[in-house]
């Protein structure tokens, strides 16, 4: 069910920080038209950390309604409180999400046993397919492959978004987990190599602005067409890198605004892209054939 290019969708906002529902609907339609295989609503790129619980649930419901069952919708429902993550996951199930994506509990720095108990508790509390999400660069906690392998035996924990970019780590997960456990990349630059190792797809920041290219890249990699997949990835590499000139989703929201897809709104403590990075990001966009209709 969950394979290919999965966009980590941004949450559009007006300059005053209010949510822009019309732009959200239009982004969903854009991805449906461009061949994106699935959508993550309210993940890191969707500014989950700055949305209220009510807004979080509203965005999930809106995306599910707009997708109309055409592709899977994965709801970001992780939290640093286990109880809050259960509530968000329950709300996502009620909204009709196909699966949930749960980040490791940030700031708390739980032990590996704490991580196991956290995710096992949520999986047992809510009957919906669940994906783990390991991104130690943002959370200050690293879920080791041995813990992932333990969790892979828990009913309805179906896979992981592994965002370290460490291919040895990815191989270890493939080796230790069941064949039907879904390994997804969370790092655009190394996604092709992870898929070629046995991964199933990529939860992508780059797909926000280059959805057709990322869908093709994942299709080629999943088909084992390594030479073509790597060649396309090389063409996209400058964009992958430019989208992290500052913390995600700062650059990607600026890029979407420059393309006329959304307004410039972003919530504190995140700020708009620093002016020194405008030209490097524009150049990277131009290099992959994205024509700017700049508003900024």
């Amino acid at each position: 069910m969950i394979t290919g290019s999965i966009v980590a969708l941004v949450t559009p906002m007006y300059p005053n920080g209010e949510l822009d529902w019309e732009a959200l609907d239009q982004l969903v339609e854009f991805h449906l038209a461009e061949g994106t295989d699935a959508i993550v609503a309210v993940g890191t790129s969707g500014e989950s950390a700055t949305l209220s619980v009510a807004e979080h649930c509203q965005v999930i419901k809106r995306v599910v309604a707009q997708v109309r069952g055409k592709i899977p919708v994965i709801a970001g429902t992780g939290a640093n409180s286990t109880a809050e993550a259960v509530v968000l996951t329950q709300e996502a199930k009620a909204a009709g999400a196909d699966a949930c994506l749960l980040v490791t509990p940030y700031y708390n720095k739980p032990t590996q046993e704490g991580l196991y108990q956290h995710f096992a508790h949520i999986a047992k509390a809510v009957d919906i397919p669940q994906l783990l999400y390991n991104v130690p660069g943002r959370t200050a906690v690293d879920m080791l492959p041995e813990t992932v392998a333990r969790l892979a035996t828990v009913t309805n924990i179906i896979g992981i978004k592994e965002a370290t970019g460490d291919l040895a780590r990815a191989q270890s997960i493939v080796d230790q987990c069941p064949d039907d456990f879904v390994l997804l990349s969370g790092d655009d630059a190394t996604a092709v190599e992870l898929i070629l190792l046995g991964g199933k797809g990529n939860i992508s920041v780059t797909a926000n602005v280059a959805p057709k290219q990322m869908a093709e890249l994942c299709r080629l990699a999943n088909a084992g067409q390594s030479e073509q997949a790597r060649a396309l990835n090389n063409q996209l590499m400058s964009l992958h890198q430019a989208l992290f000139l500052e913390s995600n989703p700062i650059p990607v929201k600026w890029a979407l605004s420059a393309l006329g897809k959304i307004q410039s709104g972003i919530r504190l403590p995140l700020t708009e892209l620093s002016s020194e990075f405008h030209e490097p990001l524009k150049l990277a966009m131009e290099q992959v054939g994205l024509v700017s209709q700049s508003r900024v």
Side-chain angles (χ1 to χ4, degrees), residues 6-7 9 28 31-32 36-41 63 67 71-75:
I6 305 160
V7 65
L9 193 70
V28 170
H31 285 286
L32 291 174
T36 294
D37 295 298
I39 292 175
V40 170
V63 172
V67 166
I71 58 176
V73 175
I74 304 163

Side-chain angles (χ1 to χ4, degrees), residues 29-231:
E29 291 301 322
F30 173 56
H31 285 286
L32 291 174
E34 292 291 292
T36 294
D37 295 298
I39 292 175
V40 170
V42 205
T44 303
S45 300
E47 292 175 77
S48 55
T50 67
L51 269 61
S52 69
V53 171
E55 289 173 328
H56 196 123
C57 297
Q58 288 167 355
V59 171
I60 293 167
K61 289 178 183 177
R62 187 83 171 212
V63 172
V64 168
Q66 192 70 17
V67 166
R68 305 180 296 280
K70 294 181 178 180
I71 58 176
V73 175
I74 304 163
T77 60
N80 61 353
S81 158
T82 305
E84 181 179 336
V86 168
V87 170
L88 289 171
T89 305
Q90 289 170 334
E91 291 291 329
K93 180 183 177 182
D98 296 286
C100 290
L101 177 69
L102 294 116
V103 71
T104 51
Y106 42 90
Y107 189 79
N108 293 325
K109 298 184 75 172
T111 63
Q112 295 300 306
E113 180 61 26
L115 289 170
Y116 174 80
Q117 292 193 27
H118 170 82
F119 288 113
H121 178 87
I122 299 164
K124 291 171 184 175
V126 191
D127 184 19
I128 187 172
Q130 296 174 27
L131 293 159
L132 312 170
Y133 177 14
N134 189 46
V135 58
R138 295 191 79 121
T139 63
V141 61
D142 186 7
M143 184 160 51
L144 300 178
E146 294 75 18
T147 304
V148 176
R150 286 182 70 194
L151 287 165
T153 67
V154 176
T155 302
N156 66 308
I157 293 180
I158 64 166
I160 184 170
K161 174 185 176 182
E162 173 54 53
T164 61
D166 182 342
L167 295 173
R169 167 74 62 93
Q171 185 65 63
S172 182
I173 292 170
V174 169
D175 292 343
Q176 294 187 53
C177 292
D179 290 343
D180 61 353
F181 189 74
V182 179
L183 174 62
L184 301 170
S185 174
D187 178 66
D188 282 305
T190 58
V192 163
E193 300 304 326
L194 182 141
I195 294 171
L196 292 172
L197 285 174
K200 300 299 183 186
N202 178 38
I203 297 181
S204 173
V205 174
T206 302
N208 277 283
V209 293
K212 187 174 291 185
Q213 294 95 319
M214 290 305 296
E216 177 65 5
L217 182 149
C218 290
R219 186 194 67 77
L220 290 168
N222 272 318
Q225 295 178 263
S226 57
E227 185 175 339
Q228 297 95 319
R230 286 171 175 144

